[in-house]
Amino acid sequence: MIVNFCLKICYESSTMRRKQLLLLKVGIVAWLLVVYILFTYQPSTTSPSLSQDDFRLIKDGPVLPILLIACNREAAVRRSIDLLLKYRPDQERFPIIVSQDCGHKPTRETIESYGDQLSLIQQPDLSDIEVPLKERKFKGYFLIARHYKWALTQIFQKFNYEAVIIVEDDLDVAPDFYEYFSATYPILRSDPTLWCVSAWNDNGKAGLVDVRNGSSILYRTDFFPGLGWMMTRELWDELGPKWPRSYWDDWVRAPEQRANRACIRPEVSRTRTFGKKGVSNGLFYEKHLKQIHLNEVFVPFTKLNLSYLHQEQYDPTFEKEVQNSQVVSLTEVKSGRLTQGVKYKIVYHTKDVFKRTAKALGLMDDFKAGVPRTGYKGVISFFYGNNRIFLAPGNNWQGYNPSWS
């Protein structure tokens, strides 16, 4: 009996040890599984609430394709592509898509010589285009509008991008071109009172901008600048169905399209055109465009707080700045005797006074749908003789007059 009792104890002890050993083994396996998951699991970069088609992201930010509009200028397109590639920080984030019209073989071969550094799409409709008799000499504008519509449709409907940066084959870009658009994209997305971001300052001559200290300054403008600009899919969904047959840029500037929305523009241009020869036959080129200063200093815009560009922050500050500036005459500004570091204002009340003042200061003096170039709430901001100057309407300004052109 005692022997049986001892054997029973030994058996139960052995069984208990086996259970403990089994539990220990299970615990070790579970621990190893947890360690494996922690070290090998990588979360998806796509938000579970959005599909990749809704919002195409990679690890360092949104994908912003560059759409380069080209035709038959092989030397120009090579110059443009070379700079776009030179400054491009990431091919995945900034795919370059060259859209060629015209069917010009030497230009196509030039584009194809870059291999997989970019993509080439070709506008298939090379048929002649119907143009009113009185506008025959402006046929090129009809062809460009057709090309733009086809190319932008490809970007948003075929390639399914959420935004695009549009350049033409006669633009140089600045070293921080991509940085500028990367930083302003979230602002464009989050502020419904904005509808584009442009790299261009129409009044960006070296003597009219703060080259030394103004490279990081950005503005809102009611004037659509173009010449290197970013738009969203939502804007194309709005404009695409009613896209014009010609003069697309002037059409975009009309009140019906602008709808009281603004663009972002820089103090110092991030693009510069070298396109004296083209559809516009060098319009404004020698007098203005050729003299635009291209930014040379890399500004880390993505590390700066650009929330001041939102309308609710920007407008009160801007209006107060203009209101508090000291009123002076054109003669006083041109005299060069103003106190440096002080902000001044020249007031205009009529179209003729504006144009006369603008011409005297070297500013572009034309209007599109009543809006002066770079204007915001009727105000032109520029630099002259080391002073910030505002060319501003009187306090009774009631808005843009479309008859001013």
Side-chain angles (χ1 to χ4, degrees):
M1 183 175 179
I2 295 174
V3 172
N4 289 339
F5 178 76
C6 291
L7 289 172
K8 183 180 180 181
I9 292 175
C10 290
Y11 175 78
E12 288 177 353
S13 299
S14 176
T15 302
M16 186 177 297
R17 283 195 298 272
R18 284 198 297 273
K19 289 182 179 179
Q20 290 174 340
L21 183 60
L22 179 61
L23 289 173
L24 179 62
K25 289 181 178 179
V26 171
I28 291 173
V29 170
W31 180 79
L32 290 173
L33 182 60
V34 171
V35 171
Y36 174 80
I37 291 173
L38 289 175
F39 279 90
T40 62
Y41 175 69
Q42 293 183 355
S44 170
T45 57
T46 305
S47 169
S49 63
L50 296 174
S51 69
Q52 283 189 324
D53 289 339
D54 291 329
F55 197 60
R56 301 181 65 170
L57 289 175
I58 62 174
K59 61 182 180 180
D60 294 322
V63 176
L64 296 175
I66 312 301
L67 174 63
L68 173 58
I69 301 293
C71 182
N72 58 3
R73 299 184 288 186
E74 63 268 30
V77 79
R78 181 177 293 281
R79 175 171 168 174
S80 294
I81 292 173
D82 283 347
L83 278 182
L84 286 169
L85 291 176
K86 177 180 178 180
Y87 297 129
R88 181 170 67 175
D90 189 315
Q91 184 168 347
E92 290 185 35
R93 282 200 61 204
F94 302 102
I96 297 172
I97 301 170
V98 182
S99 181
Q100 186 196 4
D101 200 356
C102 308
H104 189 246
K105 184 178 178 181
T107 300
R108 188 197 75 224
E109 291 174 343
T110 296
I111 298 166
E112 290 175 335
S113 70
Y114 289 91
D116 60 5
Q117 296 182 88
L118 51 76
S119 301
L120 169 64
I121 58 176
Q122 293 180 283
Q123 206 281 97
D125 184 4
L126 302 181
S127 62
D128 198 14
I129 194 167
E130 185 178 344
V131 178
L133 183 62
K134 64 180 181 178
E135 297 182 83
R136 288 284 175 85
K137 64 179 180 179
F138 302 121
K139 182 178 180 179
Y141 290 104
F142 287 78
L143 295 171
I144 288 175
R146 181 173 72 179
H147 185 190
Y148 261 81
K149 182 172 185 178
W150 179 84
L152 287 169
T153 300
Q154 298 301 299
I155 290 294
F156 292 116
Q157 294 185 10
K158 179 180 179 180
F159 299 112
N160 209 28
Y161 288 113
E162 290 301 310
V164 64
I165 301 166
I166 305 160
V167 295
E168 295 190 7
D169 62 357
D170 59 357
L171 288 181
D172 290 332
V173 299
D176 56 359
F177 175 83
Y178 294 97
E179 175 78 0
Y180 170 71
F181 283 110
S182 294
T184 51
Y185 176 72
I187 307 295
L188 176 63
R189 271 288 180 203
S190 59
D191 188 343
T193 68
L194 291 170
W195 71 326
C196 86
V197 176
S198 174
W200 176 259
N201 178 358
D202 277 293
N203 288 313
K205 298 176 185 178
L208 296 174
V209 295
D210 188 355
V211 174
R212 180 178 298 180
N213 301 308
S215 292
S216 64
I217 300 175
L218 305 181
Y219 298 89
R220 294 173 65 101
T221 176
D222 296 321
F223 189 90
F224 171 75
L227 292 176
W229 59 287
M230 177 167 59
M231 71 181 301
T232 64
R233 171 195 289 275
E234 289 77 13
L235 182 60
W236 180 247
D237 289 343
E238 175 189 330
L239 300 182
K242 57 179 181 177
W243 195 252
R245 294 188 63 242
S246 63
Y247 318 115
W248 71 266
D249 49 351
D250 284 343
W251 175 82
V252 161
R253 292 167 179 141
E256 296 80 9
Q257 280 65 251
R258 188 173 72 83
N260 292 318
R261 292 171 292 189
C263 295
I264 295 173
R265 67 148 179 106
E267 166 84 359
V268 184
S269 281
R270 265 59 188 187
T271 54
R272 177 179 58 202
T273 179
F274 54 87
K276 181 178 180 179
K277 295 181 179 179
V279 172
S280 64
N281 294 317
L283 183 67
F284 291 129
Y285 184 78
E286 291 294 336
K287 190 174 181 180
H288 292 286
L289 306 183
K290 183 180 179 180
Q291 301 178 49
I292 298 297
H293 179 80
L294 182 66
N295 181 63
E296 299 172 350
V297 179
F298 186 94
V299 176
F301 283 112
T302 55
K303 294 180 172 60
L304 303 180
N305 182 359
L306 302 182
S307 62
Y308 70 89
L309 291 166
H310 285 110
Q311 186 183 47
E312 65 271 16
Q313 296 184 45
Y314 188 92
D315 283 8
T317 302
F318 179 76
E319 291 168 5
K320 182 178 180 181
E321 187 178 24
V322 175
Q323 190 66 32
N324 292 341
S325 59
Q326 182 177 332
V327 177
V328 291
S329 67
L330 171 62
T331 302
E332 289 175 301
V333 171
K334 291 185 68 67
S335 72
R337 294 194 295 269
L338 297 178
T339 303
Q340 293 193 9
V342 177
K343 295 177 181 178
Y344 295 96
K345 174 172 59 181
I346 301 175
V347 178
Y348 70 91
H349 295 281
T350 67
K351 170 185 168 183
D352 289 341
V353 170
F354 176 92
K355 292 180 75 70
R356 187 165 59 250
T357 304
K359 283 182 178 179
L361 294 168
L363 299 165
M364 295 190 79
D365 68 334
D366 62 325
F367 297 82
K368 299 292 183 180
V371 183
R373 293 179 186 265
T374 74
Y376 189 65
K377 297 186 179 299
V379 179
I380 307 297
S381 174
F382 61 99
F383 209 63
Y384 197 92
N386 293 319
N387 287 101
R388 177 61 54 190
I389 311 290
F390 300 108
L391 178 54
N395 291 333
N396 61 346
W397 186 72
Q398 298 297 313
Y400 297 110
N401 185 344
S403 69
W404 288 23
S405 59

